[in-house]
Amino acid sequence: MSQKNRLILIHGLHQAPFIMRPMARRMQAQGFDTYQYGYRSMRDGIKTNSARLNNWLEANHHPDQLLDLVAHSLGGLIVRDFIYNYPQWQIGRCVTLGTPHNGSVCADYIWQLTPAIVGKSYENALDGTAAPLPEHIDLGVIAGNKPQGLGQPFLHYHNRKLRKSGTALSDELLAHDGTVYVSETKLDAASDHLIMPVTHTGMLINKDVAWQTAHFLQHGQFKR
């Protein structure tokens, strides 16, 4: 990967571009040309937000320059929708951070109880129905397993339900980052998957997460 690739950083639900600033600074220190893409995660659905990313690129990016994409949580589902629906762009490598590629149990509960909290980010995204990842895309997935965050009450409740069901469960199956289960981050089409001891939001300011992200963008795999 050339370090001259433009790196697009995409935040998650209920966030804004500034949340990606620590990651952006660490990427810039390693030579990446970064842009923090902002979108309205509550008011607009995934299709609208990926279309706006495409519009921004059409106005500000040369199509011959490779794009790298790093996205947190819901942002990773926008990446999938964008890549699938706008195949004209040349994609280098992508990394998703805590993205529930298989749908989010936490979002399911919130959607049933208070849909307004997840807004239009649920359908075609957090419900597990995001666009498939094209085979040629080189994607690395980072998941956290430090169970602290606002989604804990829902996940603890869900874990109790699973245990009462009598199903054989392992600690790995129940692991989460406080919002998203590790199992929800796994995607068969991904090139690599790495679990790190970070929370869902804490991964955005963790220097080791940033280092592993840069390593994947440069080498196509995480460092072990």
PDB file of all heavy atoms in Angstrom, residues 16 34 72 78 81 85 88 94 102 126 129 149:
ATOM      1  N   ALA A  16     -19.719  11.990  16.113  1.00  0.00           N
ATOM      2  CA  ALA A  16     -19.416  13.035  15.146  1.00  0.00           C
ATOM      3  C   ALA A  16     -17.968  12.864  14.703  1.00  0.00           C
ATOM      4  O   ALA A  16     -17.204  12.115  15.337  1.00  0.00           O
ATOM      5  CB  ALA A  16     -19.636  14.413  15.772  1.00  0.00           C
ATOM      6  N   THR A  34      -5.462  11.829   5.825  1.00  0.00           N
ATOM      7  CA  THR A  34      -6.754  11.452   6.394  1.00  0.00           C
ATOM      8  C   THR A  34      -7.847  12.479   6.138  1.00  0.00           C
ATOM      9  O   THR A  34      -7.599  13.667   5.993  1.00  0.00           O
ATOM     10  CB  THR A  34      -6.640  11.241   7.922  1.00  0.00           C
ATOM     11  OG1 THR A  34      -6.406  12.501   8.559  1.00  0.00           O
ATOM     12  CG2 THR A  34      -5.509  10.284   8.261  1.00  0.00           C
ATOM     13  N   HIS A  72     -15.604   2.959  12.538  1.00  0.00           N
ATOM     14  CA  HIS A  72     -16.000   2.460  13.851  1.00  0.00           C
ATOM     15  C   HIS A  72     -17.470   2.081  13.863  1.00  0.00           C
ATOM     16  O   HIS A  72     -18.326   2.838  13.397  1.00  0.00           O
ATOM     17  CB  HIS A  72     -15.734   3.543  14.903  1.00  0.00           C
ATOM     18  CG  HIS A  72     -16.127   3.144  16.289  1.00  0.00           C
ATOM     19  ND1 HIS A  72     -17.004   3.876  17.059  1.00  0.00           N
ATOM     20  CD2 HIS A  72     -15.763   2.078  17.046  1.00  0.00           C
ATOM     21  CE1 HIS A  72     -17.148   3.294  18.240  1.00  0.00           C
ATOM     22  NE2 HIS A  72     -16.413   2.200  18.257  1.00  0.00           N
ATOM     23  N   ILE A  78     -21.598   1.307   6.865  1.00  0.00           N
ATOM     24  CA  ILE A  78     -21.641   2.299   5.788  1.00  0.00           C
ATOM     25  C   ILE A  78     -20.560   1.970   4.757  1.00  0.00           C
ATOM     26  O   ILE A  78     -20.781   2.061   3.549  1.00  0.00           O
ATOM     27  CB  ILE A  78     -21.464   3.723   6.344  1.00  0.00           C
ATOM     28  CG1 ILE A  78     -22.703   4.115   7.146  1.00  0.00           C
ATOM     29  CG2 ILE A  78     -21.220   4.734   5.214  1.00  0.00           C
ATOM     30  CD1 ILE A  78     -22.609   5.467   7.811  1.00  0.00           C
ATOM     31  N   ASP A  81     -21.843  -0.786   2.544  1.00  0.00           N
ATOM     32  CA  ASP A  81     -22.850  -0.295   1.608  1.00  0.00           C
ATOM     33  C   ASP A  81     -22.201   0.544   0.510  1.00  0.00           C
ATOM     34  O   ASP A  81     -22.537   0.405  -0.676  1.00  0.00           O
ATOM     35  CB  ASP A  81     -23.900   0.531   2.346  1.00  0.00           C
ATOM     36  CG  ASP A  81     -25.091   0.868   1.466  1.00  0.00           C
ATOM     37  OD1 ASP A  81     -26.009   0.040   1.374  1.00  0.00           O
ATOM     38  OD2 ASP A  81     -25.081   1.954   0.847  1.00  0.00           O
ATOM     39  N   ASN A  85     -22.249  -0.457  -3.478  1.00  0.00           N
ATOM     40  CA  ASN A  85     -23.092   0.334  -4.379  1.00  0.00           C
ATOM     41  C   ASN A  85     -22.337   1.326  -5.248  1.00  0.00           C
ATOM     42  O   ASN A  85     -22.901   1.848  -6.216  1.00  0.00           O
ATOM     43  CB  ASN A  85     -24.159   1.072  -3.558  1.00  0.00           C
ATOM     44  CG  ASN A  85     -25.236   0.137  -3.035  1.00  0.00           C
ATOM     45  OD1 ASN A  85     -25.985  -0.440  -3.806  1.00  0.00           O
ATOM     46  ND2 ASN A  85     -25.291  -0.029  -1.724  1.00  0.00           N
ATOM     47  N   GLN A  88     -17.085   2.023  -8.517  1.00  0.00           N
ATOM     48  CA  GLN A  88     -16.163   2.749  -9.404  1.00  0.00           C
ATOM     49  C   GLN A  88     -14.906   3.224  -8.681  1.00  0.00           C
ATOM     50  O   GLN A  88     -13.895   3.526  -9.325  1.00  0.00           O
ATOM     51  CB  GLN A  88     -16.870   3.948 -10.051  1.00  0.00           C
ATOM     52  CG  GLN A  88     -17.229   5.090  -9.106  1.00  0.00           C
ATOM     53  CD  GLN A  88     -18.610   4.958  -8.495  1.00  0.00           C
ATOM     54  OE1 GLN A  88     -19.114   3.852  -8.318  1.00  0.00           O
ATOM     55  NE2 GLN A  88     -19.233   6.093  -8.178  1.00  0.00           N
ATOM     56  N   CYS A  94      -9.307  -1.844   4.013  1.00  0.00           N
ATOM     57  CA  CYS A  94     -10.291  -1.329   4.969  1.00  0.00           C
ATOM     58  C   CYS A  94     -10.098  -1.990   6.325  1.00  0.00           C
ATOM     59  O   CYS A  94      -9.715  -3.166   6.397  1.00  0.00           O
ATOM     60  CB  CYS A  94     -11.720  -1.616   4.501  1.00  0.00           C
ATOM     61  SG  CYS A  94     -12.079  -1.126   2.803  1.00  0.00           S
ATOM     62  N   ASN A 102     -22.713  -8.818  11.758  1.00  0.00           N
ATOM     63  CA  ASN A 102     -23.812  -9.781  11.734  1.00  0.00           C
ATOM     64  C   ASN A 102     -25.075  -9.260  12.401  1.00  0.00           C
ATOM     65  O   ASN A 102     -25.977 -10.027  12.708  1.00  0.00           O
ATOM     66  CB  ASN A 102     -23.364 -11.077  12.436  1.00  0.00           C
ATOM     67  CG  ASN A 102     -22.169 -11.701  11.763  1.00  0.00           C
ATOM     68  OD1 ASN A 102     -22.186 -11.953  10.562  1.00  0.00           O
ATOM     69  ND2 ASN A 102     -21.109 -11.952  12.520  1.00  0.00           N
ATOM     70  N   LEU A 126     -27.777  -2.109  11.285  1.00  0.00           N
ATOM     71  CA  LEU A 126     -27.635  -2.776  12.577  1.00  0.00           C
ATOM     72  C   LEU A 126     -28.527  -4.002  12.725  1.00  0.00           C
ATOM     73  O   LEU A 126     -28.349  -4.795  13.650  1.00  0.00           O
ATOM     74  CB  LEU A 126     -27.925  -1.783  13.710  1.00  0.00           C
ATOM     75  CG  LEU A 126     -26.944  -0.605  13.817  1.00  0.00           C
ATOM     76  CD1 LEU A 126     -27.411   0.379  14.883  1.00  0.00           C
ATOM     77  CD2 LEU A 126     -25.532  -1.084  14.109  1.00  0.00           C
ATOM     78  N   THR A 129     -28.492  -6.765   7.995  1.00  0.00           N
ATOM     79  CA  THR A 129     -28.782  -6.951   6.565  1.00  0.00           C
ATOM     80  C   THR A 129     -27.974  -5.998   5.680  1.00  0.00           C
ATOM     81  O   THR A 129     -28.421  -5.624   4.601  1.00  0.00           O
ATOM     82  CB  THR A 129     -30.291  -6.763   6.284  1.00  0.00           C
ATOM     83  OG1 THR A 129     -30.673  -5.424   6.639  1.00  0.00           O
ATOM     84  CG2 THR A 129     -31.123  -7.750   7.081  1.00  0.00           C
ATOM     85  N   GLY A 149     -19.524  -0.522  29.040  1.00  0.00           N
ATOM     86  CA  GLY A 149     -20.164   0.387  28.101  1.00  0.00           C
ATOM     87  C   GLY A 149     -21.653   0.506  28.349  1.00  0.00           C
ATOM     88  O   GLY A 149     -22.231  -0.203  29.180  1.00  0.00           O
TER      89      GLY A 149
END
